[in-house]
Amino acid sequence: MSPARPRRTPDHKQFGLFPVAVTRVQALSPHFVRISLAGESLHHAAEEISDGTGDVLDAYIKLMIAPEHSASGIIDLELTENWRSRYLSAPPQERGWMRTYTLRNSRLVPADRVPPVEAELRANSEADLAVLDRPLPAGQVPEVDIDFVLHQDDAGELGPGARWAATAQVGDKIALLAPLRGNALWSAWNPDHSSQVLMLVDETAVPAALSIARSLPAETRADLLLEVPCSDDVLSNDVAALAGALENLPGVDLHWLPRTGNTVRGENLFRGLRQVLDLPTPLGAVDTATRADEDETWTLAVPQTGGKGQRYVYIAGESSVIKTLRRICVNEAGIDKRQISFMGYWKKGVAEC
């Protein structure tokens, strides 16, 4: 396995709105569904997408979900300087929804497998379009995979992204925001030279964790803790695909932590983290209340000089859970905050814009 190559610093000024079509829908488990999206417009996305390398790690895109009355399914926006504020100023029932998802994989597929998409790529107004002027590979089209979690809110309703994924069919159209070719993918993974990795994720970050796991350098020592809704959500096909890779990574342990019975969200991660770090388990319920100084929900590690022997901690999932996990790492295990990347992918009871 080749080591994961260093990431360039993401440039959020060079991006586009890419119209694509659904090419495959695959139910993975009771709560996971994988949807493949392809379109000629993706020839102009970041190289990991346009060249179909699959080297996506935890890269993410913005999926633009059209309102129910949309005939085409594709939201079309002029990406001027104030496009986001203009988009968000309209009610969701009129503008649709923007949701963030991890790219699970990318590849090139035969063009005749891809349903035609009439809409064209829109680049943002600050983009340098010179990078798009090049010969395109004949007969091939980039395709990406996105894994969706079909989980309900407290009222038993699916959110807009999960609702779209639950009913998606081959041939459906949608648009996504992503960096243009010549620019870095949007990504948080940055272990720098650390050879020790600790990853803690809930189901919303499982796609990122599995994608990262297959790209770890051979010398890595890592514990990857993945909490999922139930035992049937242990993604056996992904486990089988990773088995060969992990045979060459003797220092990497993958821990699936399904919730059972009345187990509350995050409880398995709290317990698993303490076991990995050899910390005592406290009596009673875990205190997940947010502290006054814990308003941050997305902070990336700062590479340290001589970081090869240091531990890199990657935490992603529900906001209150990731804050509690970081608190355990810092206050109980004494891990430097600068060695921790933590990302609040979502917050219970709060809808993403």
Side-chain angles (χ1 to χ4, degrees):
M1 180 191 309
S2 60
R5 61 180 178 76
R7 285 301 175 97
R8 298 161 289 168
T9 301
D11 183 355
H12 288 262
K13 294 183 178 180
Q14 307 279 321
F15 61 92
L17 186 65
F18 299 84
V20 291
V22 175
T23 50
R24 183 172 47 179
V25 178
Q26 180 185 6
L28 302 178
S29 75
H31 293 93
F32 286 96
V33 60
R34 178 169 298 162
I35 296 181
S36 301
L37 303 169
E40 290 188 359
S41 66
L42 294 180
H43 281 304
H44 304 302
E47 284 83 342
E48 295 89 343
I49 298 174
S50 57
D51 294 343
T53 65
D55 183 25
V56 293
L57 294 178
D58 71 334
Y60 59 90
I61 53 88
K62 300 282 187 178
L63 201 64
M64 309 300 292
I65 302 162
E68 294 181 359
H69 59 75
S70 171
S72 67
I74 294 178
I75 291 177
D76 189 20
L77 294 171
E78 292 187 11
L79 300 178
T80 56
E81 185 177 357
N82 63 342
W83 73 269
R84 186 181 178 92
S85 59
R86 286 190 294 105
Y87 170 76
L88 295 177
S89 65
Q93 294 76 12
E94 296 179 12
R95 59 168 162 83
W97 297 267
M98 179 166 55
R99 292 292 185 266
T100 305
Y101 287 98
T102 298
L103 288 176
R104 184 66 181 85
N105 209 343
S106 68
R107 68 188 68 82
L108 296 177
V109 298
D112 58 10
R113 278 184 41 193
V114 180
V117 182
E118 292 73 21
E120 297 181 355
L121 163 69
R122 281 191 180 272
N124 73 306
S125 57
E126 298 182 50
D128 178 7
L129 301 184
V131 298
L132 309 184
D133 186 16
R134 76 188 201 285
L136 300 179
Q140 292 184 310
V141 173
E143 181 182 64
V144 297
D145 294 338
I146 299 176
D147 288 359
F148 294 79
V149 182
L150 305 183
H151 62 101
Q152 300 172 334
D153 60 20
D154 291 341
E157 299 290 334
L158 293 174
R163 191 164 59 244
W164 179 84
T167 60
Q169 299 180 12
V170 171
D172 287 353
K173 310 299 193 301
I174 198 166
L176 58 88
L177 284 168
L180 290 169
R181 189 175 174 87
N183 296 273
L185 286 173
W186 300 329
S187 174
W189 176 255
N190 183 25
D192 196 49
H193 297 294
S194 298
S195 57
Q196 298 182 53
V197 172
L198 175 57
M199 183 180 295
L200 308 154
V201 303
D202 71 8
E203 59 267 32
T204 60
V206 161
L210 293 177
S211 184
I212 290 168
R214 71 182 187 199
S215 304
L216 290 171
E219 69 275 11
T220 302
R221 299 187 63 83
D223 283 285
L224 314 182
L225 281 63
L226 286 58
E227 183 175 296
V228 291
C230 67
S231 58
D232 289 337
D233 288 317
V234 176
L235 302 180
S236 55
N237 288 340
D238 285 282
V239 172
L242 280 171
L246 294 182
E247 284 180 1
N248 299 318
L249 296 170
V252 176
D253 291 319
L254 188 64
H255 309 267
W256 288 93
L257 306 174
R259 294 190 289 271
T260 57
N262 296 321
T263 304
V264 299
R265 182 181 301 279
E267 184 177 334
N268 291 340
L269 286 172
F270 305 145
R271 186 181 299 111
L273 172 61
R274 285 196 164 91
Q275 290 176 349
V276 167
L277 297 180
D278 196 23
L279 298 172
T281 301
L283 298 176
V286 175
D287 179 13
T288 59
T290 299
R291 305 292 189 267
D293 60 345
E294 292 181 336
D295 55 341
E296 293 179 309
T297 59
W298 196 288
T299 300
L300 303 185
V302 180
Q304 303 296 300
T305 302
K308 190 171 181 62
Q310 295 177 341
R311 174 182 274 121
Y312 171 71
V313 183
Y314 178 98
I315 309 173
E318 197 278 327
S319 179
S320 65
V321 171
I322 61 131
K323 291 177 181 180
T324 303
L325 291 167
R326 186 177 76 152
R327 193 186 310 145
I328 295 171
C329 289
V330 174
N331 296 346
E332 299 184 37
I335 299 173
D336 191 327
K337 287 183 179 180
R338 295 173 297 175
Q339 297 168 227
I340 303 173
S341 288
F342 77 113
M343 289 73 65
Y345 276 18
W346 63 290
K347 185 175 183 180
K348 186 177 179 180
V350 178
E352 182 185 5
C353 294

